[in-house]
Amino acid sequence: MHSSEADHSDHSITIIAEDYAYQAPNQIPSGWTTMQFENHGNEDHFLLVAKVPDGKTLEDYTTQIVMPFNEVWYALRDDGLEQELVFEKLMPNLPEWFAGIEFMGGTGIVPAGESSEITLRLDPGTYILECYFKNEDGELHSVEGMLRELTVTDSQSDTTPPEADINITLSNFDMDIQGDLKPGKHTFSVHIIENPEQGFGHNVHVVRVDEDANIDELMRFINFFEVDGMRTPSPFTFAGGMHLMPAGATTYFTTELKSGRYIFLSEYTGFLGVVQDVTVE
Amino acid sequence: MVPVAIILSVLVLKISGSTVYTAGKDSGISSLTEDPDIGEILIAGHPVLQNLSTEPGIVEVELTASKERLSLKPGAESNVYAYNGRVPGPLLEASEGDSVIIHFRNDLPEKTTVHWHGLHLPFVMDGSPFHPVEPGDTFTYTFRIHEGTAGTYWYHPHPHHRTAWQVGMGLYGGIIIRDPSDPLPDTLTERLLILSDNRFDEDGEIEFAEPGSRQERVDDMNGREGDVLFVNDEVMPELSIRSGEIQRWRIVNASGARIYRLGLEGHSFTYIGSDGGLFEHPKEVDEIILSNGERAELLVHGTGDPGSKVILQDLPYDRYMPMFRPSNWDEINNLLTLRYTDEQPIQEPFKVPETLRKIPELNIDDATETRVMRMTNGKINSKTMDMNRVDETAKLGATEIWDIRNLVGMDHPFHLHGFQFQVIDRNGKPVQQRKWEDTINVPGFESARFIVRYDNYPGLWMFHCHILDHEDQGMMGVLEVK
């Protein structure tokens, strides 16, 4: 689609999240791109950027990846499927090419009315933009329509990554944050140094919490497979972050921090301790 | 959809080829047929609302919505909602310049409205959700038919949250507005084909999805489609044509969700008109796509041999998001049989004019505003309909551009009440054909822009997706013109 609101210059674009869709350009050049992500909806949204194998399309991703996930989600939500059995039920229904998907970043969770900026490096190919947060009825935003194809062309953007003042390193069991976390706008770099044994990398969500916040509740909420996990209305105040990337990749996100307590946690390994509880002052 | 005796008599009439006589042009009425059994006048194949007025320029009719028990699906009776006891309701016929008076009575067990889809009329006469008619109440709709309106329209209920239900129960009917100076000869056989679909349970009752069921979820997303396809009041009716003859077909998509891709095996059409009447120039096409609420006018050329037959088909059209696409979406649905009479071919003494009429161009340089409509599933601009909220405000007489962006992977047909518009471009590519429309289908991830001028009538005008389930979910907003 064409869009007068989205900035189509070579290396900087605007992606608008609605309930439930993205307004975004159809194609961008390869290389570094800065994405201004604006949530114009009434619910929390995020952006996951997934590169699909050559020849695969949004149609394939939807029918062969999203739908099996959605079936498993329905089994959890409606039929009481135990979380331990999720992958046993899911994996036989996924195509072989699922292993060839490369998740190349995106944003953390961005509340309604807020925005986030990310900078990521994309190679030429076909990408899928997806939000799998849930609405109040427990339906995935992706299934409601929040899926979109993005083509990254062979032409190169000439942009360079921003200067980061905070550096995060993620491994399978650790999150290291270097820098001076004080109130104000910060640009974070996130570098992934290893992949989980069976997984696609790591991400970071930034959450502003009260001093007496129950972090176990936050861990439950960030777990997609919990019936009330990642579901509207969100009881937590998210402040952006970055989404799944594989080992060796680096991305950047910019967010405004206020004085107070923040939790930085990885969605899939937070329960293993890949989390940082920090105070900004 | 009408009493069985009438179905049979109409069928006999159609198969026999009917006795067609032509009124003079001045009468503004073209093809009339008379049902020999009951003496009922049919226009374009439809019973017509009887004009109670003898004054020239006045069309005064009575219309009642009521609960009835009729045969819709062959071999079964169903509880239905009907206009004047019929599904579809009787045809409303008027001419440009006429004053139309409709005495409406609501004998339904719930409130309703009658929306005169596509007509340019005062706000209080639009039959929008702002003016419900309570059960047992009456309302008299009065409006004047403006010059340039001639075309095919339809009427249907529009109560907030209940439109899909009431249309699904049978409330819809056709409207033909005549132009005394119609450029096409009134000797052409004229047919009005109102397309609809429905779903029935094993007892023959109209079926809607159970609350909370997976089918309800599918219907919420796709809109409710039926597996029984009707043309007017019949399933797979048989119409006749003589080899060499040209017929004028007016087609209405009255389905709540189904989008039709129409083709007639081995035949092309001359596409002559859409929502707001005749195009400026005719166009030869092999098939057309007709989304919900839209109308088309076609010239069908009888190029087949005497005694042969051909099927009007609804060809596969993928309007769905992949996760909700029905498994049989790519099957062809047969809609009607067009049978050639055994008579020798005739040479229709008529050449389609290169220019059907002059349509004034709305100039984009006059546009004072561009309104962006971002359509997602169930919402426009991330909002659902609120009867107490005005979403857009414009000045009476202003010319504006609407930029309709479909951000999701399924089609959404966008309808604006009260004012016909001209499509400027689709996905940035200019649209060449100049025509008036009130509904534009925007396929998944595509966009379209149209230009409109808010003439004559201030008020609160609805804009919405014309997949009726979406409209009921709140994929609708309010434009205040003042």
Side-chain angles (χ1 to χ4, degrees):
Chain A
M1 68 174 290
H2 74 101
S3 154
S4 57
E5 286 181 15
D7 181 353
H8 290 218
S9 63
D10 281 354
H11 54 276
S12 179
I13 61 171
T14 298
I15 294 179
I16 295 173
E18 302 269 350
D19 303 333
Y20 307 96
Y22 296 113
Q23 181 172 342
N26 290 329
Q27 63 179 43
I28 59 173
S30 56
W32 289 100
T33 293
T34 297
M35 297 179 176
Q36 180 72 22
F37 181 78
E38 298 177 5
N39 183 352
H40 290 192
N42 300 304
E43 302 181 18
D44 288 5
H45 292 296
F46 60 78
L47 176 74
L48 173 62
V49 180
K51 184 172 188 285
V52 292
D54 287 348
K56 299 301 176 189
T57 63
L58 175 63
E59 167 86 17
D60 300 321
Y61 188 87
T62 304
T63 55
Q64 298 176 46
I65 309 294
V66 175
M67 288 178 69
F69 267 94
N70 195 47
E71 284 304 309
V72 166
W73 161 240
Y74 280 167
L76 281 161
R77 187 192 66 178
D78 302 335
D79 305 331
L81 178 72
E82 293 179 18
Q83 287 189 37
E84 291 72 17
L85 300 177
V86 160
F87 285 95
E88 186 178 316
K89 185 175 174 65
L90 174 65
M91 295 313 288
N93 295 321
L94 292 175
E96 282 187 16
W97 64 267
F98 177 66
I101 294 173
E102 299 174 78
F103 293 100
M104 295 308 297
T107 71
I109 297 168
V110 177
E114 301 292 326
S115 63
S116 178
E117 186 177 287
I118 55 171
T119 301
L120 63 173
R121 190 180 186 288
L122 300 175
D123 292 329
T126 300
Y127 291 76
I128 307 299
L129 311 181
E130 179 182 11
C131 176
Y132 54 79
F133 209 83
K134 301 163 195 158
N135 66 16
E136 212 160 358
D137 295 332
E139 301 292 349
L140 308 189
H141 288 182
S142 51
V143 174
E144 294 290 313
M146 218 155 176
L147 284 165
R148 191 180 179 93
E149 192 170 294
L150 174 70
T151 300
V152 176
T153 65
D154 291 333
S155 63
Q156 284 281 329
S157 90
D158 55 4
T159 194
T160 54
E163 286 286 327
D165 63 309
I166 310 288
N167 301 294
I168 299 176
T169 305
L170 282 171
S171 62
N172 289 343
F173 301 102
D174 194 28
M175 178 189 298
D176 179 58
I177 303 178
Q178 296 292 326
D180 187 9
L181 286 169
K182 55 188 179 186
K185 193 173 183 180
H186 294 277
T187 297
F188 294 76
S189 75
V190 182
H191 183 63
I192 314 292
I193 59 171
E194 61 180 338
N195 278 341
E197 194 171 328
Q198 288 180 318
F200 293 92
H202 300 283
N203 63 3
V204 175
H205 293 291
V206 183
V207 196
R208 180 175 165 80
V209 296
D210 296 332
E211 285 303 320
D212 57 351
N214 185 331
I215 304 306
D216 288 341
E217 282 300 309
L218 174 59
M219 292 299 177
R220 277 173 52 82
F221 183 79
I222 205 71
N223 180 359
F224 170 85
F225 296 111
E226 288 286 343
V227 170
D228 290 324
M230 300 188 83
R231 185 165 176 170
T232 305
S234 171
F236 295 98
T237 304
F238 288 89
M242 52 74 67
H243 224 300
L244 279 181
M245 281 197 325
T250 300
T251 193
Y252 301 83
F253 71 90
T254 300
T255 197
E256 180 99 14
L257 298 178
K258 300 171 185 170
S259 294
R261 184 185 178 197
Y262 284 84
I263 304 295
F264 288 66
L265 82 164
S266 187
E267 185 176 325
Y268 300 99
T269 51
F271 73 100
L272 296 174
V274 185
V275 58
Q276 289 287 351
D277 189 339
V278 303
T279 299
V280 176
E281 55 187 2
Chain B
M1 310 188 179
V2 294
V4 173
I6 296 179
I7 291 178
L8 291 174
S9 62
V10 173
L11 191 63
V12 167
L13 193 71
K14 287 169 179 169
I15 291 174
S16 66
S18 76
T19 51
V20 178
Y21 66 90
T22 303
K25 260 194 169 180
D26 290 344
S27 72
I29 298 173
S30 62
S31 301
L32 297 178
T33 55
E34 184 173 2
D35 187 316
D37 294 337
I38 57 175
E40 188 173 39
I41 298 297
L42 303 177
I43 295 176
H46 287 254
V48 64
L49 286 164
Q50 185 187 353
N51 187 359
L52 305 173
S53 173
T54 55
E55 288 187 46
I58 304 289
V59 175
E60 185 171 11
V61 300
E62 291 179 333
L63 186 71
T64 299
S66 60
K67 196 171 176 180
E68 303 287 345
R69 189 152 182 86
L70 300 177
S71 174
L72 302 185
K73 186 180 177 183
E77 284 198 341
S78 314
N79 291 318
V80 306
Y81 285 181
Y83 286 124
N84 289 9
R86 297 174 181 276
V87 179
L91 175 71
L92 173 65
E93 187 193 46
S95 294
E96 292 180 358
D98 282 352
S99 291
V100 179
I101 304 164
I102 299 142
H103 301 286
F104 175 67
R105 178 177 181 80
N106 179 11
D107 279 346
L108 298 171
E110 60 178 307
K111 64 185 175 186
T112 189
T113 73
V114 189
H115 171 53
W116 313 96
H117 184 120
L119 290 179
H120 180 52
L121 36 60
F123 162 57
V124 294
M125 299 299 160
D126 186 44
S128 81
F130 286 108
H131 299 102
V133 182
E134 298 295 330
D137 278 2
T138 60
F139 185 82
T140 299
Y141 294 94
T142 59
F143 48 86
R144 191 173 70 81
I145 305 296
H146 288 260
E147 188 181 342
T149 302
T152 310
Y153 301 83
W154 64 302
Y155 59 96
H156 63 81
H158 209 309
H160 195 26
H161 298 310
R162 292 290 285 174
T163 301
W165 168 273
Q166 292 192 2
V167 173
M169 286 293 285
L171 292 179
Y172 52 91
I175 302 171
I176 295 178
I177 304 297
R178 307 275 179 200
D179 173 5
S181 306
D182 195 310
L184 300 173
D186 53 15
T187 52
L188 299 179
T189 295
E190 178 186 52
R191 301 189 188 281
L192 171 63
L193 309 178
I194 301 179
L195 308 181
S196 65
D197 58 348
N198 221 325
R199 214 156 63 204
F200 299 86
D201 66 18
E202 55 190 18
D203 297 324
E205 299 295 345
I206 297 173
E207 182 187 74
F208 293 86
E210 288 290 324
S213 66
R214 287 288 170 91
Q215 185 61 52
E216 186 189 47
R217 172 97 172 110
V218 171
D219 288 355
D220 282 350
M221 188 59 74
N222 289 347
R224 174 178 171 272
E225 287 191 338
D227 57 349
V228 182
L229 279 69
F230 295 93
V231 178
N232 301 331
D233 55 359
E234 295 179 80
V235 175
M236 272 301 282
E238 185 168 293
L239 307 180
S240 65
I241 190 170
R242 185 173 175 179
S243 185
E245 182 189 358
I246 297 174
Q247 295 190 351
R248 181 175 186 173
W249 288 12
R250 301 170 181 266
I251 308 178
V252 176
N253 181 354
S255 284
R258 183 180 294 276
I259 293 179
Y260 294 87
R261 179 179 154 222
L262 299 172
L264 192 60
E265 294 169 314
H267 290 60
S268 61
F269 303 117
T270 305
Y271 197 6
I272 58 170
S274 59
D275 296 347
L278 294 175
F279 296 154
E280 197 158 83
H281 304 290
K283 183 182 180 186
E284 294 302 312
V285 297
D286 291 327
E287 56 187 50
I288 64 163
I289 290 174
L290 202 62
S291 74
N292 317 95
E294 284 188 305
R295 289 84 66 203
E297 281 192 59
L298 305 171
L299 294 179
V300 177
H301 301 264
T303 52
D305 296 330
S308 65
K309 66 176 182 180
V310 64
I311 306 293
L312 179 68
Q313 295 180 315
D314 172 29
L315 301 166
Y317 179 70
D318 185 4
R319 67 178 184 87
Y320 311 96
M321 293 208 303
M323 52 285 242
F324 292 96
R325 185 184 294 132
S327 58
N328 64 346
W329 78 273
D330 56 351
E331 292 176 5
I332 292 172
N333 297 301
N334 292 334
L335 296 176
L336 64 81
T337 302
L338 184 63
R339 182 177 292 281
Y340 282 87
T341 66
D342 294 329
E343 299 162 282
Q344 288 301 303
I346 56 167
Q347 185 67 42
E348 192 77 39
F350 154 65
K351 194 168 187 300
V352 182
E354 288 183 8
T355 299
L356 295 165
R357 63 166 170 165
K358 283 290 180 190
I359 295 178
E361 181 182 11
L362 296 181
N363 193 331
I364 56 173
D365 294 336
D366 296 334
T368 54
E369 183 91 35
T370 295
R371 299 185 185 278
V372 177
M373 299 288 127
R374 294 184 297 270
M375 296 197 292
T376 55
N377 292 327
K379 297 183 180 182
I380 297 176
N381 290 345
S382 272
K383 291 183 284 191
T384 53
M385 173 69 191
D386 182 343
M387 296 285 285
N388 298 311
R389 185 187 69 220
V390 169
D391 298 284
E392 308 287 334
T393 304
K395 284 184 181 173
L396 185 66
T399 299
E400 295 189 339
I401 292 170
W402 288 52
D403 184 348
I404 315 298
R405 302 176 186 176
N406 184 352
L407 303 187
V408 294
M410 70 174 294
D411 291 28
H412 287 294
F414 186 91
H415 173 50
L416 175 65
H417 282 217
F419 308 96
Q420 294 276 326
F421 52 74
Q422 293 175 0
V423 177
I424 304 167
D425 52 35
R426 284 182 172 273
N427 304 314
K429 294 181 181 172
V431 170
Q432 302 298 340
Q433 179 71 272
R434 192 172 299 165
K435 55 188 175 181
W436 291 112
E437 295 179 275
D438 53 63
T439 307
I440 177 171
N441 187 46
V442 186
F445 300 122
E446 294 193 12
S447 65
R449 294 192 309 153
F450 64 74
I451 186 166
V452 61
R453 189 173 63 218
Y454 312 119
D455 285 330
N456 301 314
Y457 299 123
L460 300 173
W461 300 98
M462 321 304 296
F463 55 86
H464 59 87
C465 175
H466 216 286
I467 293 175
L468 299 182
D469 303 84
H470 292 180
E471 171 187 331
D472 284 347
Q473 288 160 27
M475 195 171 174
M476 182 158 66
V478 175
L479 164 72
E480 182 175 19
V481 175
K482 58 184 181 181

